[in-house]
Amino acid sequence: MAVEIHPTAIVADSAELADGVSIGPFCIVGEAVRIGPGTRLHAHVVVEGRTTLGANNHVHPFAVLGGPPQHTAYKGEDTELVIGDNNLIREHATMNIGTPHGGGVTRVGSNGLYMIESHVGHDCIVGDNVILTKQATLGGHCQIGDYVIVGGLAAVHQFTRVGRHAMIGGLAAVVKDVIPYGSVWGNHAHLEGLNLVGLKRRGFDRETINTLRAAYRLLFADEGTFQERLEDTAQTYADSPQVMEIIDFIRADASRPLCLPEREV
């Protein structure tokens, strides 16, 4: 398949364009950019820096991919942005390259939806099948698991981890880590329970969901210390991969604060 470049687009000679790439009107593609087969830049898209776009991505007008990190310590070092396949990136979305002290790479997975004015900050690691809705924002160094949904106008603070299949409600300010399968909302965000709607939509069976609900009640009960409940949950549900994913997520970085349920006063 031939590469299509609109006459008004500006594409650097050294940019690498695979078969079937389509570059629309008034797009700008930089010198160190690589674009995979079937990817389409609709119009007025800027792809700069050392940015790699995989196959069959659709990027809508005024999106800017590979812009420099919004970090005062960045001095023009050679860092990069790597984006997977089959993503839909809508108008005015932005994704920045990494920083040297943060690993040097911002990674975005495949099959995602990045709605209008959403933002992926420097050094983020974003999984597959992620949805950032309108104006959702990820600060630098965030780790976002597969199938996470971030609601409109929500902001995830830098260095925050969000586990797989979690749901972040609109307008939430997330400054603490979110467990896999969790559902959080509020300012500041607190844990509301499990993302039951998402689990059902993705085909988790009733037994698995009931096990997760029972483990959740034990883990976030009022009795004992959190560490005691964590160990009790790990022992009681050691045979559940989903529960152990939550346990392992919590244990992986004990220095990070965790979104917890609100306690009634």
Side-chain angles (χ1 to χ4, degrees):
M1 297 175 63
V3 173
E4 298 180 357
I5 302 177
H6 193 274
T8 61
I10 300 174
V11 180
D13 292 339
S14 58
E16 299 180 20
L17 307 181
D19 292 344
V21 167
S22 175
I23 309 296
F26 301 103
C27 292
I28 299 176
V29 179
E31 297 177 354
V33 171
R34 296 186 296 173
I35 302 180
T39 286
R40 180 180 179 186
L41 311 184
H42 285 258
H44 294 279
V45 174
V46 176
V47 186
E48 57 184 325
R50 187 149 60 95
T51 296
T52 300
L53 268 166
N56 301 313
N57 294 288
H58 282 249
V59 187
H60 285 252
F62 304 105
V64 180
L65 307 178
Q70 298 176 57
H71 195 298
T72 57
Y74 180 73
K75 305 301 180 185
E77 295 90 348
D78 185 22
T79 57
E80 63 180 317
L81 167 66
V82 178
I83 301 171
D85 306 327
N86 304 308
N87 292 293
L88 178 57
I89 301 172
R90 293 300 303 266
E91 295 84 354
H92 296 276
T94 54
M95 300 180 182
N96 294 159
I97 57 176
T99 60
H101 64 278
V105 183
T106 303
R107 295 190 184 276
V108 175
S110 298
N111 305 307
L113 170 57
Y114 298 87
M115 294 188 190
I116 295 170
E117 297 178 335
S118 58
H119 173 69
V120 177
H122 59 84
D123 304 295
C124 286
I125 306 297
V126 181
D128 298 332
N129 300 287
V130 168
I131 298 176
L132 299 190
T133 56
K134 180 177 172 61
Q135 295 182 327
T137 298
L138 305 181
H141 311 276
C142 291
Q143 297 180 36
I144 309 298
D146 298 340
Y147 292 98
V148 166
I149 300 175
V150 183
L153 296 164
V156 182
H157 191 272
Q158 62 191 24
F159 292 100
T160 297
R161 300 178 303 145
V162 180
R164 296 192 320 134
H165 297 281
M167 172 71 192
I168 295 172
L171 296 170
V174 184
V175 299
K176 301 176 182 179
D177 291 352
V178 180
I179 60 170
Y181 312 102
S183 176
V184 303
W185 67 284
N187 185 2
H188 287 11
H190 60 271
L191 194 61
E192 273 293 303
L194 295 171
N195 183 17
L196 297 176
V197 173
L199 292 172
K200 293 174 182 176
R201 286 177 176 173
R202 291 167 197 144
F204 286 81
D205 59 45
R206 180 175 297 180
E207 181 180 358
T208 299
I209 293 174
N210 287 341
T211 298
L212 279 166
R213 294 178 70 178
Y216 179 94
R217 287 192 293 268
L218 175 59
L219 182 59
F220 296 108
D222 292 328
E223 296 79 14
T225 67
F226 182 75
Q227 190 60 42
E228 290 171 344
R229 298 194 303 271
L230 184 68
E231 298 305 321
D232 288 346
T233 306
Q235 293 177 17
T236 304
Y237 298 98
D239 294 334
S240 169
Q242 292 79 21
V243 174
M244 291 311 299
E245 182 177 349
I246 297 173
I247 300 299
D248 292 341
F249 178 92
I250 295 170
R251 288 173 170 171
D253 191 350
S255 66
R256 288 285 310 162
L258 195 68
C259 280
L260 300 173
E262 280 192 325
R263 300 299 184 192
E264 295 183 4
V265 180

